Amino acid sequence: MKKKLFAAVLCAFAGLTLASCAGKDYSHTIRFWHTMGDNLQKVLNPQAIEKFKKDYPDWDIESTQIGGYDDVRNQTITYIAAGKNPDLVYCYPDHIAAYNRTSIQVVDLNKYINDSEVGLTEAQKADFIEGYYNEGSAFGDNAMYSLPFSKSTEVLYYNKTAFEDEELKVPTTWEEMEEVCRILKTRYKECTPLGIDSEANFFITTAAQKGAGYTTAKGEEHYIFDNAENRATVTMLSEWVEKGYVTTQELYGGYTSALFTNTTAARGFMCVGSTGGANHQKPSNGAFEVGIAPIPTFEGKNLKCISQGPSLAMLKQADEEKMKMTWIFMKDYLLTTDFQARFSMASGYNPVLKSTYENPVYKEFLESSDGYDNIAALAAKTSSTLSDSFFVSDAFVGSSTARDEVGNLIKNVIGTNKMSLDKAFEYALQQCRKG
């Protein structure tokens, strides 16, 4: 009775019915947990699941949407504790680090990648965009715990119409950005020239551009972001805020894309935001043409663009055949050129395979890009030129905490708290080390 009650609670927690969760024979069912809404499941079901089931009629895929990314992590950990873990999950690197501390660990995919029967060919390995692929091995132990599924990066959205009217050059360096902001602020007193959607991404990306420390999976001290280079960047940003050059999500009270698409005097002219959110950078009624460029870097050197978005991880099962079939579903149905093209067009995220950009359907999508109606395609087109600049940070238990705390660090310096630089860095380190 207690076991049935516990099973019912677990099923309800995951949004599943008791029949589908507790009473079903899962020996030939692959459980895939993700965050896809109805729009994306309309691609997933016919383009991957139904094709798999047709090719392997003795097998089934149970596809379940579970809230957001952290919900997938939390519920997976809960189910691991109950011995009912799913087979395939959406994941971020810190999720994998958390799973690997449990009794059910993440499968090292090298076992399948290098398998002579079902593995990846050298051409298939080379087809992955390197910066995305490398995320799966960012754990310092030579294992490959995930494969990329759907990714985004940050770019600079700018008001192309205004830049042409004002005869302004799109900034390629942060030094040029300061000067462009100064000019715009002089000409448009009420404007805030630049919006930054993510304080954390700004800190992490600029640290990578400078070659400054952020985090490391090696050694006892994982948190190495308190250094002169990062302090100088935070100081620069704080000075820009004081001059009215820049606002952030914290200061603005929401994504700064809303400021960018504003056409009143109190508007923005540029926004550092995700390619996955390109449609939110589109002004209503075609008020102006949007341009998209790489984010600036320092002195025009060492361009780095952060890589984000879900990857796929397999959790260990007792049944070797089931794990093999899970691998086949992932490799041959989710990570194909055709599926990636259709999914990327529906999601707005970037495909993870280079060959997708040669897919006829996706090529037509990219060719339709413009700065008015098809900004998502324009963002994808820009992103395709940045693949050599994508990077991921080391992953370990606590790496997501570091991300949160460097974002909070910036907020504490530029926000209402007005912490000193010393105190803000000290507090961020303290919060990270609490675990």
Side-chain angles (χ1 to χ4, degrees), residues 32 41 61 118 141 146 152 168 214 227 234 269 337 342-343 380 382 394 397 422 427:
F32 177 26
Q41 291 188 54
I61 304 290
V118 297
D141 59 1
S146 67
S152 66
L168 292 173
Y214 164 55
N227 54 64
V234 176
F269 288 90
T337 299
R342 296 176 187 277
F343 191 86
T382 304
D394 283 0
V397 175
D422 287 341
Y427 183 74

Side-chain angles (χ1 to χ4, degrees), residues 97-112:
Y99 300 155
N100 279 344
R101 297 185 72 181
T102 70
S103 58
I104 304 294
Q105 297 182 338
V106 179
V107 175
D108 179 356
L109 296 177
N110 283 318
K111 172 182 179 180
Y112 298 102

Side-chain angles (χ1 to χ4, degrees), residues 267-287:
R267 57 174 166 165
F269 288 90
M270 295 172 285
C271 178
V272 175
S274 167
T275 54
N279 283 325
H280 296 292
Q281 308 284 354
K282 181 164 59 176
S284 60
N285 301 321

Side-chain angles (χ1 to χ4, degrees), residues 87-123:
D87 303 285
L88 184 66
V89 292
Y90 260 16
C91 67
Y92 271 64
D94 62 292
H95 300 181
I96 292 173
Y99 300 155
N100 279 344
R101 297 185 72 181
T102 70
S103 58
I104 304 294
Q105 297 182 338
V106 179
V107 175
D108 179 356
L109 296 177
N110 283 318
K111 172 182 179 180
Y112 298 102
I113 290 171
N114 300 316
D115 186 275
S116 59
E117 179 187 356
V118 297
L120 295 175
T121 66
E122 291 304 313

Side-chain angles (χ1 to χ4, degrees), residues 140-435:
D141 59 1
N142 298 316
M144 187 73 173
Y145 290 118
S146 67
L147 287 178
F149 177 66
S150 181
K151 298 294 181 179
S152 66
T153 192
E154 286 193 327
V155 291
L156 178 68
Y157 297 91
Y158 65 96
N159 185 325
K160 187 175 181 180
T161 302
F163 267 68
E164 290 178 351
D165 289 345
E166 297 294 333
E167 298 183 340
L168 292 173
K169 176 186 173 185
V170 179
T172 60
T173 71
W174 292 113
E175 294 83 2
E176 290 174 355
M177 173 63 79
E178 182 172 15
E179 177 61 10
V180 169
C181 287
R182 185 193 67 78
I183 293 170
L184 286 168
K185 189 67 177 176
T186 300
R187 296 177 184 176
Y188 300 89
K189 302 293 185 183
E190 296 179 47
C191 83
T192 303
L194 173 65
I196 293 175
D197 267 347
S198 170
E199 294 90 353
N201 283 356
F202 179 79
F203 188 106
I204 296 166
T205 300
T206 52
Q209 291 179 345
K210 284 187 170 183
Y214 164 55
T215 58
T216 176
K218 300 175 181 178
E220 295 183 5
E221 180 54 82
H222 295 311
Y223 311 105
I224 55 174
F225 54 78
D226 187 0
N227 54 64
E229 292 88 349
N230 292 335
R231 283 173 171 247
T233 302
V234 176
T235 299
M236 175 191 77
L237 185 65
S238 178
E239 291 173 350
W240 289 5
V241 169
E242 290 296 324
K243 293 176 180 178
Y245 293 172
V246 65
T247 189
T248 69
Q249 185 176 161
E250 171 75 6
L251 294 174
Y252 187 64
Y255 287 111
T256 62
S257 55
L259 178 68
F260 176 66
T261 57
N262 191 340
T263 55
T264 68
R267 57 174 166 165
F269 288 90
M270 295 172 285
C271 178
V272 175
S274 167
T275 54
N279 283 325
H280 296 292
Q281 308 284 354
K282 181 164 59 176
S284 60
N285 301 321
F288 59 83
E289 183 179 3
V290 176
I292 305 179
I295 61 170
T297 187
F298 292 94
E299 299 178 350
K301 302 174 183 176
N302 199 28
L303 176 62
K304 295 292 182 183
C305 306
I306 198 165
S307 168
Q308 296 177 301
S311 292
L312 299 169
M314 291 170 51
L315 297 178
K316 290 181 180 178
Q317 306 287 349
D319 188 337
E320 287 289 337
E321 183 186 12
K322 191 177 186 185
M323 289 197 293
K324 179 180 176 181
M325 294 305 296
T326 303
W327 163 257
I328 289 172
F329 173 62
M330 176 168 61
K331 175 180 77 82
D332 293 340
Y333 296 86
L334 299 179
L335 296 175
T336 67
T337 299
D338 185 63
F339 180 84
Q340 284 284 304
R342 296 176 187 277
F343 191 86
S344 295
M345 288 188 292
S347 67
Y349 276 58
N350 305 331
V352 300
L353 301 176
K354 300 171 188 174
S355 57
T356 309
Y357 290 95
E358 297 304 317
N359 176 275
V361 174
Y362 198 67
K363 283 183 75 173
E364 183 178 351
F365 168 71
L366 293 181
E367 288 168 1
S368 71
S369 68
D370 63 50
Y372 291 103
D373 297 321
N374 205 346
I375 293 173
L378 185 62
K381 196 172 184 178
T382 304
S383 180
S384 69
T385 68
L386 303 175
S387 59
D388 290 342
S389 303
F390 295 155
F391 75 97
V392 293
S393 304
D394 283 0
F396 53 90
V397 175
S399 55
S400 64
T401 301
R403 172 182 167 77
D404 291 341
E405 292 307 324
V406 296
N408 289 336
L409 187 161
I410 287 179
K411 295 173 187 178
N412 286 332
V413 171
I414 67 175
T416 55
N417 288 340
K418 292 296 180 185
M419 280 188 185
S420 68
L421 207 62
D422 287 341
K423 187 174 181 180
F425 273 89
E426 180 183 354
Y427 183 74
L429 284 171
Q430 287 175 352
Q431 295 303 110
C432 287
R433 288 165 180 164
K434 283 182 179 179

